[in-house]
Amino acid sequence: MIEISQLRLENYGQWIRLVADITSDVVRTDKESTIWIGVKNENASMLTTDVYNAFLFLPMYMSMYYHTDLCIHGEVSKILYRNMIDYIQPILCSFSDKLSPVNVIVDGFKETKTEQKIVGTGISCGVDCLATIYKYYEKENNPEYKLNALFMLNCGWHGNYYDKSTFELFEKRCKVNGKAAADIGLPLFMVDSNLHAFLPQLDDQSSYFSIYTCIFAMEKAISRYYISSSFSYGEVMKYGMKARNRDFSEYADPSALPLMHSANLKLVSDGCQYTRSQKTELISDWNISKKYLNVCCINDSEENCCTCIKCVRTLLPLEAMGKIDAYKAVFDLDKWKKISYAQKCRLTINNGRDAFSIDNYKFCKEHGMKLPSLFAARMYFMPSYIRKPQIILNRLFKKH
């Protein structure tokens, strides 16, 4: 059994942490005997100490992974509890064969009161998150839905917990994204945790549940939180099974996230109403996007490499729309010009193989981009296939 108890606040220098003890007779907890989420001292009022809702997420995932029950020595939201037991556990079991249903024992039920009305989302300056920010800040007028805060979470997406460079990278990314947040006109809240100390022993998809844990730790302050999804509704229905055991977001975001709520806090899956190319189009004229768009999966700074799959996935629709020159501040367009035809050939060859290639190919064709035929694309790469035989033949002829 995994047990969670003694929910409390602890000061840690410039940070204040929401801490709970974690013990288990199945899982090793000698390295980390507590599980915690922290905010800067000035934001201490955001942390929620009267309910254990935050600890229904990653600890339950851990219990399902290790096939042991979870006991929470405190009260939780009845709405959230029932949804997690009745619906989220079956969704998780359908997602991964490594998971099995478990009992979750709690002391009782209670709904906390939201003392602030923060409507938030994460910021990374990628296409998905900028589309959410643009839609719910620049275009939204209803205060119940309009963003009024942005967040950066350190819970597994910046590296190994026990590597000191992980927190340094987190701070670096906060500084980079903080510039964009200031330009947008929204406050940026930093959230630290030790949740990723528990992740290496699990499968990769548990990291999503560390995000939900962080958000619900601030339930006293947050009433609505948008989580940017990568797949559209149609793509989830068509390709969701291919994401099984690989990407929980692509597999189940539209069905799972609406279930993860209490009486006062809702997680909202946003972005499923668009394909990625449509989201690129949505933000393509926004000045913030032109200055801060950062999609690269190789570089850790503001620079986009222009060659990785995420950079290419973004540059192709920008070129198709005739708007690529407006993005010279964030992309090396000279580098792109040298490789763009090769990338168009790859797009033609990969069309039909995955959701993003299908989306990009269709979008580029609809916007009048001339793409090479399948024959031309394969011929372009042919020299790399026959290079070795040519070398052998050249050597043979030189001998005679």
Side-chain angles (χ1 to χ4, degrees):
M1 179 178 287
I2 295 175
E3 296 187 68
I4 304 290
S5 62
Q6 299 297 320
L7 189 62
R8 61 197 183 271
L9 295 179
E10 290 184 358
N11 288 103
Y12 192 82
Q14 297 180 336
W15 297 80
I16 188 163
R17 294 172 173 178
L18 180 68
V19 182
D21 293 338
I22 180 169
T23 59
S24 176
D25 56 358
V26 177
V27 186
R28 286 188 61 186
T29 57
D30 52 336
K31 272 188 140 180
E32 297 293 323
S33 59
T34 63
I35 183 168
W36 58 263
I37 302 95
V39 297
K40 289 296 185 70
N41 287 333
E42 59 267 26
N43 303 318
S45 62
M46 300 172 73
L47 295 175
T48 307
T49 56
D50 59 339
V51 292
Y52 282 70
N53 290 347
F55 302 99
L56 270 173
F57 292 97
L58 185 59
M60 191 187 81
Y61 195 105
M62 292 168 62
S63 295
M64 295 179 69
Y65 186 86
Y66 292 111
H67 312 294
T68 189
D69 291 340
L70 172 65
C71 181
I72 295 176
H73 295 281
E75 297 174 307
V76 299
S77 161
K78 181 182 284 189
I79 298 169
L80 179 62
Y81 176 85
R82 288 303 302 263
N83 283 352
M84 294 293 283
I85 300 300
D86 294 347
Y87 305 117
I88 298 301
Q89 282 202 29
I91 290 173
L92 283 169
C93 290
S94 73
F95 169 70
S96 173
D97 295 330
K98 296 178 181 178
L99 306 176
S100 62
V102 297
N103 294 315
V104 178
I105 305 157
V106 299
D107 283 356
F109 302 105
K110 178 182 178 179
E111 297 294 340
T112 192
K113 291 185 179 179
T114 304
E115 298 177 2
Q116 303 176 46
K117 292 292 183 180
I118 289 179
V119 180
T121 192
I123 181 170
S124 66
C125 287
V127 169
D128 295 331
C129 87
L130 286 184
T132 294
I133 296 169
Y134 180 74
K135 179 172 172 52
Y136 289 104
Y137 182 69
E138 291 290 332
K139 307 299 287 185
E140 184 60 60
N141 295 317
N142 188 323
E144 186 179 346
Y145 294 85
K146 189 179 179 73
L147 284 167
N148 53 33
L150 299 173
F151 290 83
M152 287 283 293
L153 312 177
N154 185 27
C155 58
W157 300 89
H158 308 288
N160 187 298
Y161 175 71
Y162 295 106
D163 185 343
K164 68 176 184 179
S165 66
T166 295
F167 187 77
E168 293 171 356
L169 178 58
F170 170 61
E171 288 187 308
K172 178 182 177 181
R173 287 174 171 171
C174 285
K175 184 177 291 187
V176 170
N177 291 301
K179 295 177 184 177
D183 209 344
I184 293 167
L186 289 173
L188 175 65
F189 295 101
M190 297 172 64
V191 181
D192 194 16
S193 79
N194 74 333
L195 302 178
H196 38 320
F198 301 94
L199 300 183
Q201 295 81 21
L202 308 177
D203 56 71
D204 290 341
Q205 299 318 308
S206 55
S207 54
Y208 286 100
F209 286 77
S210 66
I211 294 175
Y212 315 146
T213 298
C214 284
I215 297 164
F216 266 85
M218 300 176 285
E219 184 179 358
K220 188 190 292 187
I222 302 173
S223 60
R224 191 178 189 86
Y225 194 97
Y226 298 104
I227 295 183
S228 301
S229 299
S230 55
F231 266 15
S232 68
Y233 288 114
E235 288 166 342
V236 170
M237 288 187 285
K238 189 172 183 179
Y239 303 103
M241 284 305 293
K242 292 184 178 179
R244 189 173 183 270
N245 293 310
R246 181 182 57 82
D247 192 311
F248 184 77
S249 171
E250 293 178 1
Y251 178 79
D253 255 9
S255 57
L257 286 181
L259 296 166
M260 299 180 190
H261 70 88
S262 64
N264 298 294
L265 170 57
K266 290 182 173 64
L267 298 187
V268 180
S269 176
D270 180 65
C272 291
Q273 61 270 52
Y274 309 105
T275 66
R276 184 183 172 86
S277 291
Q278 288 171 335
K279 283 185 275 191
T280 305
E281 183 176 29
L282 178 69
I283 63 172
S284 61
D285 292 323
W286 190 24
N287 190 48
I288 295 295
S289 174
K290 296 173 184 177
K291 292 170 65 176
Y292 299 105
L293 183 64
N294 188 346
V295 299
C296 191
C297 58
I298 295 178
N299 293 336
D300 291 325
S301 65
E302 301 97 320
E303 298 176 358
N304 292 296
C305 73
C306 299
T307 60
C308 73
I309 55 173
K310 288 190 175 180
C311 284
V312 171
R313 192 186 296 165
T314 307
L315 284 160
L316 283 166
L318 286 174
E319 182 176 327
M321 290 183 288
K323 298 180 180 181
I324 195 169
D325 289 339
Y327 283 79
K328 61 184 178 182
V330 291
F331 288 107
D332 184 340
L333 299 186
D334 289 333
K335 181 188 288 187
W336 171 247
K337 287 174 184 176
K338 294 176 182 177
I339 65 168
S340 62
Y341 184 75
Q343 297 299 340
K344 291 167 189 173
C345 288
R346 285 196 175 91
L347 179 62
T348 296
I349 292 170
N350 290 332
N351 180 35
R353 295 183 179 179
D354 62 82
F356 293 121
S357 295
I358 293 170
D359 167 43
N360 257 7
Y361 187 88
K362 180 181 177 184
F363 185 90
C364 290
K365 293 291 282 187
E366 287 176 348
H367 284 76
M369 176 182 278
K370 292 183 178 180
L371 294 172
S373 66
L374 184 58
F375 176 78
R378 285 176 172 167
M379 287 298 294
Y380 177 82
F381 291 111
M382 190 62 71
S384 64
Y385 301 148
I386 63 174
R387 185 178 177 185
K388 190 171 287 186
Q390 280 184 325
I391 294 171
I392 294 171
L393 288 171
N394 287 338
R395 287 176 179 172
L396 285 172
F397 281 116
K398 282 181 180 179
K399 286 182 180 179
H400 293 286

